[in-house]
Amino acid sequence: MVRRQDNPSGTLDSGVSRPTFPEGVCSSGTDDDTVLVRSTISGDQRAFGVLVGRYERALFNLAFRMTGNREDAKDITQAAFVKAFENLASFDTGQRFFSWLYRIAINESLNRVRVSGRQEDLSAELPSNEDDPETAFRRNRTREAVQRAVLKLSPDQRAVILLRHFNDMSYEEIGVVLGIPVKTVKSRLYSARQILAGLLA
């Protein structure tokens, strides 16, 4: 069972120990997720640990951009993996596990935003690999402005912007993740971009 554990280092801890990968399996995403799902269902929880390691950071970044709050993002990430683990038996192996997991995370994020009704300032940066301090400063300032503007969008608009521009998903993939038609995806993106353009002008 996946569970929340306190982690004094501040990094995410899924409750599934960081996996010692089975032979032929790595965290690069080259292995077939469906194989890992089937192994988990068969009782190999280590296989689910591989999936957690593979997508934990992506889910956390998505949740952080949706909420603007690190603690909320940690909780959302944890809840998404717990729900995924508990519902693996209902997963349709004909679809991408990545899209299915993202849909769970998006729904958790939307529920948190709607219930809290708050829009946080992003007080902490997402990790950056930029080495040059001056370039890093300029990029961080730009990123901060964009993220603050994104937080002013409605939750539904925020979701399509993040999936399209931060996760490079196609319209079709976004539709699958959010459970909406492609034309609705395009409509929400258009509205969201118009609002962002005004906020960033």
Side-chain angles (χ1 to χ4, degrees):
M1 176 65 182
V2 185
R3 65 187 183 278
R4 175 72 178 268
Q5 294 183 348
D6 292 331
N7 187 346
S9 69
T11 57
L12 287 179
D13 189 337
S14 64
V16 177
S17 59
R18 287 292 183 184
T20 302
F21 297 115
E23 184 178 354
V25 175
C26 67
S27 62
S28 65
T30 57
D31 196 66
D32 185 2
D33 289 346
T34 303
V35 173
L36 296 171
V37 169
R38 288 172 176 161
S39 295
T40 304
I41 293 173
S42 297
D44 182 5
Q45 292 194 21
R46 184 173 56 169
F48 191 73
V50 177
L51 291 169
V52 171
R54 185 172 292 173
Y55 295 119
E56 182 179 56
R57 184 178 180 86
L59 260 62
F60 174 79
N61 286 348
L62 174 70
F64 180 61
R65 289 184 173 117
M66 281 291 295
T67 64
N69 182 282
R70 282 187 176 274
E71 291 306 311
D72 283 349
K74 289 179 183 179
D75 290 342
I76 289 166
T77 303
Q78 178 68 26
F81 279 118
V82 168
K83 286 194 174 182
F85 183 84
E86 292 175 341
N87 291 281
L88 274 184
S90 66
F91 171 64
D92 178 5
T93 55
Q95 65 175 304
R96 294 176 63 201
F97 176 77
F98 174 80
S99 297
W100 183 73
L101 181 63
Y102 254 50
R103 183 170 188 175
I104 295 173
I106 280 286
N107 286 337
E108 289 293 314
S109 298
L110 290 173
N111 289 339
R112 180 64 63 96
V113 170
R114 287 165 179 158
V115 168
S116 67
R118 68 182 179 215
Q119 294 179 343
E120 300 278 357
D121 285 332
L122 296 175
S123 57
E125 290 299 314
L126 291 173
S128 173
N129 294 323
E130 186 62 62
D131 292 326
D132 176 48
E134 184 177 353
T135 302
F137 176 77
R138 290 197 302 268
R139 290 189 178 181
N140 285 342
R141 289 290 296 272
T142 301
R143 184 164 56 243
E144 286 176 357
V146 171
Q147 290 173 340
R148 281 195 297 269
V150 168
L151 286 173
K152 294 182 180 180
L153 297 172
S154 72
D156 289 337
Q157 291 171 333
R158 198 180 308 173
V160 294
I161 283 289
L162 294 179
L163 293 176
R164 179 64 173 169
H165 296 291
F166 289 82
N167 292 277
D168 296 321
M169 288 189 178
S170 68
Y171 297 136
E172 291 75 16
E173 288 174 324
I174 296 172
V176 170
V177 169
L178 298 180
I180 58 177
V182 170
K183 65 179 181 181
T184 304
V185 172
K186 292 180 178 179
S187 175
R188 288 183 185 175
L189 272 172
Y190 177 79
S191 298
R193 287 166 177 161
Q194 293 293 105
I195 294 172
L196 284 177
L199 291 171
L200 295 171

